[in-house]
Amino acid sequence: NKVTAKLIIKEINENKKIIGIGETGLDFYYNHSDKSDQITSLEEHIKAAIELKIPLIIHSRNAEKETLEVFSKYKDSRLKILMHCFTGSKKFAEKLLNFNAYFSASGIITFKNTSDLQETFKVIPSEKVLIETDSPFLAPVPYRGKKNEPSFISFTAQKLAEIRNISKSDIIKITT
């Protein structure tokens, strides 16, 4: 079944509990599906989100250039974007800010080998930062490798506070 904006809108209109579209986006890491099919699907989700005036929860992995190209087609459409489990580059984040994007930090920021990502989360404006668990995946240190659960978000919040050089209570207020 081909996903179309019209079909998405119809289904959303049938369920008033739906407040956003996603997780959608581009993932070229494993190449499990055709790039052009992924782009077409993302564009249909964007069209539906624009018409319904609801946010998009975006996944982008190994597809920074292509994600920005797609967003550029809709730059005057007042997109509402949340970059789910953001692991992109600082340059990517800076460009996404031009689309008024929000960025969600997951347990990944607690990993030792993510200094570039930690540096990126230092410079994202506070009002654009959120925290997520991405349960059941990506448990933060000290539970890395285990099944993630919502209670572990405290460790992600603590690390994000350290990265941004503020208190944990302040990061909780900012991201709530």
Side-chain angles (χ1 to χ4, degrees):
N1 290 335
K2 189 171 184 175
V3 174
T4 65
K6 190 174 185 176
L7 177 62
I8 296 165
I9 292 165
K10 178 183 178 292
E11 290 184 11
I12 289 174
N13 283 333
E14 290 174 1
N15 186 340
K16 297 299 178 189
K17 292 182 179 181
I18 298 174
I19 61 169
I21 295 177
E23 174 181 343
T24 185
L26 306 176
D27 191 326
F28 301 151
Y29 185 76
Y30 289 114
N31 291 315
H32 286 310
S33 60
D34 182 73
K35 286 183 179 185
S36 63
D37 288 347
Q38 288 187 50
I39 291 168
T40 299
S41 178
L42 174 58
E43 288 184 347
E44 292 300 314
H45 285 114
I46 289 171
K47 290 172 192 173
I50 291 167
E51 184 165 329
L52 294 168
K53 297 180 177 74
I54 60 176
L56 289 156
I57 295 87
I58 299 293
H59 172 100
S60 181
R61 187 173 185 195
N62 286 38
E64 291 185 4
K65 177 179 166 273
E66 295 86 350
T67 299
L68 289 170
E69 286 172 358
V70 171
F71 288 169
S72 292
K73 293 179 186 178
Y74 303 94
K75 68 179 176 182
D76 296 325
S77 301
R78 308 186 113 191
L79 296 174
K80 297 175 182 181
I81 299 168
L82 168 60
M83 297 304 295
H84 157 72
C85 193
F86 186 73
T87 58
S89 68
K90 187 187 267 185
K91 187 175 179 181
F92 187 38
E94 289 167 351
K95 290 181 179 185
L96 287 165
L97 285 168
N98 294 322
F99 295 99
N100 200 27
Y102 289 78
F103 302 83
S104 187
S106 71
I108 293 173
I109 65 164
T110 68
F111 300 174
K112 289 180 184 173
N113 62 344
T114 60
S115 59
D116 287 347
L117 182 61
Q118 292 172 13
E119 287 299 314
T120 298
F121 269 97
K122 274 185 187 177
V123 299
I124 294 172
S126 293
E127 67 275 9
K128 296 294 183 182
V129 176
L130 301 167
I131 304 174
E132 67 174 285
T133 62
D134 198 32
S135 290
F137 307 108
L138 305 171
V141 171
Y143 296 102
R144 184 174 181 181
K146 306 258 191 286
K147 183 178 178 184
N148 200 1
E149 61 178 65
S151 68
F152 297 169
I153 202 166
S154 179
F155 296 99
T156 305
Q158 179 62 47
K159 184 63 177 186
L160 188 58
E162 290 170 15
I163 290 166
R164 296 180 67 86
N165 200 28
I166 60 175
S167 71
K168 184 177 175 183
S169 62
D170 282 346
I171 202 70
I172 290 169
K173 287 176 193 167
I174 289 166
T175 58
T176 299

